[in-house]
């Protein structure tokens, strides 16, 4: 868990629920991305899908 939104850099409180996304890299390692809001998560997922 990081304390910073993966999209906008806003603070993500560790003691509250927040949206996340997981990505498995080429080596099989799972990376977890934390977001301050569902809107940031959705925008980040849309950007990641566009890279495919």
């Amino acid at each position: 868990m990081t304390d910073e939104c993966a999209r906008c850099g806003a603070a993500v409180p560790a003691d509250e629920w927040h949206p996340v996304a997981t990505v498995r890299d080429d080596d099989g390692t799972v990376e977890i991305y934390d977001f301050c809001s569902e809107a940031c998560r959705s925008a980040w997922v849309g950007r990641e899908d566009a890279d495919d």
Side-chain angles (χ1 to χ4, degrees):
M1 151 93 207
T2 65
D3 60 353
E4 189 175 286
C5 178
R7 180 172 181 271
C8 72
V12 177
D15 58 344
E16 296 178 17
W17 178 90
H18 57 276
V20 299
T22 58
V23 176
R24 189 174 300 271
D25 68 14
D26 293 338
D27 295 331
T29 302
V30 174
E31 296 182 29
I32 301 172
Y33 296 90
D34 302 287
F35 302 93
C36 64
S37 68
E38 188 58 42
C40 268
R41 182 188 178 280
S42 294
W44 184 87
V45 168
R47 186 193 81 221
E48 289 296 304
D49 289 344
D51 291 342
D52 289 343

